[in-house]
Amino acid sequence: SFYDPATLDALPAVDAHTKTALGTVHIVDYVVVGQPEMKPQQAFAAPVNLGGQIALLGVTLPPPATVKRGASLPVTLAWQATQTMTIDYNSFVHLLGPDGKLVAQQDKQPQASFLATHLWQPQQVMREVYTLTLPPDAPAGQYQLLAGMYDANGQRLPVQVNGQAAGDVVPVTELVKMPLEVK
């Protein structure tokens, strides 16, 4: 962006051909500096395919002993673009309790909307952290962690595991007999 040095007000950008106002900030490109470590703690035997465009490679979770009732559970997923995308997808992580009901969830646009999925380059791996807050009365037992992606209309990407259709949600992992401690 450009600004007026006298007032420090941002100057609106204008398309040189159409004379259309573009706003005060125009993104020219993104720069990746270095290659951060993207290997998940628990990698899947084979990447899980979502809509032929994105793969889920694996998950990183804190040690089970650190999970407590009423506390936050950070879940880090490693996503990979398998082709150029034209749509921006939202991602989700859901935690189902021992009774199969939703206990906690987080839905969001990856990279906090800064690097929307239509900007991901093929083979680019993105690490995304989700924070699930466990209810203070969460029972001990077996929990199911699910993930997926959906478009602006709420249509989830179909999931394929080893080339076979597997619904529209990825069963990421089970947290068996989660040792939920009273905080």
Side-chain angles (χ1 to χ4, degrees), residues 6 14 17 19 25 65 67 70 72 77 93 98 104-105 124 128 139 146-147 152-153 155 160 166-167 173-174 183:
V14 177
H17 300 290
K19 306 299 183 205
V25 176
V67 178
S72 295
L77 297 179
V93 172
Q105 76 179 73
Q124 183 177 19
E128 189 69 28
L146 308 172
N153 297 319
Q155 181 68 43
Q160 286 191 342
T173 191
E174 288 184 354
K183 204 174 174 187

Side-chain angles (χ1 to χ4, degrees), residues 52-125:
Q53 302 175 74
I54 300 171
L56 182 54
L57 305 177
V59 62
T60 300
L61 295 166
T66 64
V67 178
K68 296 179 180 171
R69 290 183 176 106
S72 295
L73 171 66
V75 175
T76 304
L77 297 179
W79 300 101
Q80 182 178 40
T82 57
Q83 66 178 35
T84 302
M85 293 173 267
T86 58
I87 295 176
D88 291 330
Y89 294 102
N90 289 308
S91 58
F92 67 88
V93 172
H94 293 172
L95 185 65
L96 304 182
D99 59 1
K101 292 183 180 174
L102 186 65
V103 172
Q105 76 179 73
Q106 185 176 19
D107 292 44
K108 64 180 181 171
Q109 209 174 59
Q111 303 299 307
S113 302
F114 180 73
L115 192 57
T117 57
H118 85 272
L119 297 169
W120 293 7
Q121 299 299 308
Q123 305 312 307
Q124 183 177 19
V125 176

